[in-house]
């Protein structure tokens, strides 16, 4: 792991995400980029983050944007001063753009290995890094996304839950899950949630989970079949039972009408659990 991206709106949740990113960077030797995207109520391409004004902007827009950029850069500097880096290389960027577009472009251009984001969850949808914007990054990012809600002063991962249907597609994400497990030396609990609507025998499911573990060379793991009425509830209940520090899930990243029809358990978990969630998009 070499590059970690932390989008920030300077909220408490975003600060929590930065603190977790620093803990991961210390373990992996990765560098961090802090990114804040200034999105005006009337998005305009007439400004750059350096304060340069392009042709076509009016006086009121100039004053508003220059003051906003000045205040934003001061907030960024204060954030960096607030947390000791202990040798972690931290760079920062303030840009005028659409948040999701800039985050996706930064992931690609900077070859980002991990995005760490703050989230309030299912309430307060009027802020930058919560609700639909977090879900959009989870759904569309080409690298793993770690979503954090609460402060973790000493971020440690000892017990990890990997929830899946363990079909072939999981192979696209398993190496990234293994890497995160290895960084912390954690125990991985593979779990299949058995629901009334898609019930399978425990013996068959256990065999499927063990086959997955052997196929991908997993170590320090357990295999589990957990019965519940709904998949999301089952994952949350199982995670509580094993006192999980992290939930890992793959997401298909569906968008538009297909997403509305199928829903996304990974995105629902990001909204509803207090446990950090690591998601990896599979095609």
């Amino acid at each position: 792991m070499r590059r970690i991206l932390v989008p920030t709106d300077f909220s408490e949740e975003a600060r929590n995400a930065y603190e977790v990113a620093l803990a991961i960077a210390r373990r992996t030797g990765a560098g961090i980029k802090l990114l804040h995207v200034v999105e005006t109520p009337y998005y305009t391409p007439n400004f750059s983050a350096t304060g340069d004004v392009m042709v076509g902007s009016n006086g009121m827009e100039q004053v508003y944007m220059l003051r906003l950029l000045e205040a934003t850069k001061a907030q960024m500097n204060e954030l960096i001063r607030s947390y000791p880096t202990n040798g972690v290389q931290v760079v920062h960027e303030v840009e005028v753009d659409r948040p999701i577009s800039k985050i996706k472009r930064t992931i690609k251009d900077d070859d980002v290995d991990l995005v760490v984001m703050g989230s309030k969850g299912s309430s307060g949808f009027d802020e930058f890094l919560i609700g639909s914007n977090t879900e959009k990054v989870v759904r569309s990012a080409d690298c793993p996304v770690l979503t954090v809600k609460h402060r973790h002063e000493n971020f440690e991962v000892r017990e990890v839950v990997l929830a899946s249907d363990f079909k072939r597609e999981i192979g696209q994400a398993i190496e990234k899950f293994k890497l995160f497990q290895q960084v912390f030396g954690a125990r991985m609990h593979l779990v299949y949630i058995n629901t009334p609507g898609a019930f399978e025998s425990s013996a068959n499911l256990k065999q499927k989970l063990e086959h997955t573990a052997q196929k991908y060379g997993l170590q320090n793991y357990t295999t589990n079949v957990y019965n519940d009425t709904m998949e999301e509830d089952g994952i949350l209940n199982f995670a509580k039972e094993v006192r999980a520090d992290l939930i890992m899930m793959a997401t298909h990243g569906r968008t538009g009408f297909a997403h509305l029809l199928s829903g996304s358990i990974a995105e629902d978990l990001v909204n509803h659990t207090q446990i950090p969630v690591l998601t990896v998009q599979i095609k």
Side-chain angles (χ1 to χ4, degrees):
M1 191 179 298
R2 296 176 299 167
R3 296 180 180 88
I4 299 173
L5 174 65
V6 184
T8 183
D9 62 354
F10 310 112
S11 65
E12 181 181 352
E13 291 75 23
R15 294 172 75 93
N16 293 339
Y18 177 46
E19 193 169 19
V20 166
L22 283 169
I24 297 170
R26 292 185 193 109
R27 282 182 172 269
T28 61
I32 292 176
K33 171 177 274 192
L34 279 166
L35 173 66
H36 179 81
V37 184
V38 176
E39 184 179 35
T40 63
Y42 47 91
Y43 174 73
T44 172
N46 295 329
F47 296 87
S48 73
T50 61
D52 297 329
V53 183
M54 309 300 289
V55 176
S57 59
N58 61 44
M60 289 298 293
E61 287 178 346
Q62 292 180 32
V63 172
Y64 170 78
M65 285 301 298
L66 290 172
R67 288 181 177 176
L68 180 58
L69 288 169
E70 184 178 307
T72 300
K73 291 174 181 179
Q75 284 182 292
M76 183 69 82
N77 289 329
E78 188 277 329
L79 174 61
I80 293 172
R81 288 195 300 268
S82 297
Y83 297 90
T85 59
N86 297 119
V88 175
Q89 182 182 16
V90 178
V91 298
H92 63 275
E93 181 179 1
V94 175
E95 188 58 86
V96 181
D97 206 334
R98 301 182 188 278
I100 302 302
S101 298
K102 176 59 180 177
I103 291 170
K104 289 173 65 176
R105 194 163 61 250
T106 301
I107 291 170
K108 181 178 179 181
D109 292 348
D110 291 9
D111 196 18
V112 170
D113 299 297
L114 175 69
V115 175
V116 184
M117 296 187 70
S119 173
K120 282 186 178 177
S122 57
S123 61
F125 283 85
D126 58 337
E127 296 189 29
F128 169 54
L129 284 180
I130 58 178
S132 61
N133 280 300
T134 301
E135 292 176 9
K136 286 176 183 177
V137 176
V138 167
R139 194 184 308 151
S140 62
D142 291 329
C143 68
V145 178
L146 177 62
T147 307
V148 177
K149 290 182 181 174
H150 298 296
R151 188 183 182 201
H152 300 266
E153 188 173 357
N154 298 299
F155 184 64
E156 290 284 347
V157 179
R158 296 184 178 89
E159 307 293 337
V160 174
V161 169
L162 174 54
S164 175
D165 57 10
F166 298 99
K167 294 180 179 177
R168 287 185 305 175
E169 292 91 339
I170 192 68
Q172 299 179 35
I174 201 73
E175 291 301 323
K176 293 173 182 177
F177 291 141
K178 283 173 60 178
L179 174 61
F180 216 86
Q181 177 198 15
Q182 291 163 4
V183 164
F184 289 93
R187 177 168 55 172
M188 184 184 293
H189 302 278
L190 281 65
V191 62
Y192 182 103
I193 307 302
N194 215 6
T195 62
F199 186 81
E200 292 189 49
S201 74
S202 294
N204 288 343
L205 291 172
K206 276 276 192 177
Q207 188 176 29
K208 180 188 291 188
L209 268 63
E210 188 61 38
H211 173 75
T212 298
Q214 295 298 321
K215 180 178 180 180
Y216 296 108
L218 298 184
Q219 297 181 356
N220 192 17
Y221 67 90
T222 68
T223 57
N224 307 270
V225 177
Y226 193 88
N227 298 323
D228 213 316
T229 54
M230 296 177 60
E231 289 177 302
E232 181 187 341
D233 291 343
I235 296 168
L236 292 175
N237 290 331
F238 177 77
K240 289 177 184 176
E241 286 191 12
V242 300
R243 298 185 178 182
D245 303 298
L246 178 69
I247 297 173
M248 294 176 168
M249 287 199 69
T251 175
H252 286 279
R254 295 184 178 93
T255 59
F257 190 57
H259 176 257
L260 293 175
L261 287 175
S262 65
S264 170
I265 298 170
E267 291 163 34
D268 289 343
L269 280 172
V270 165
N271 271 332
H272 299 141
T273 185
Q274 303 305 310
I275 302 170
V277 179
L278 180 73
T279 54
V280 175
Q281 185 189 161
I282 56 179
K283 305 297 182 182

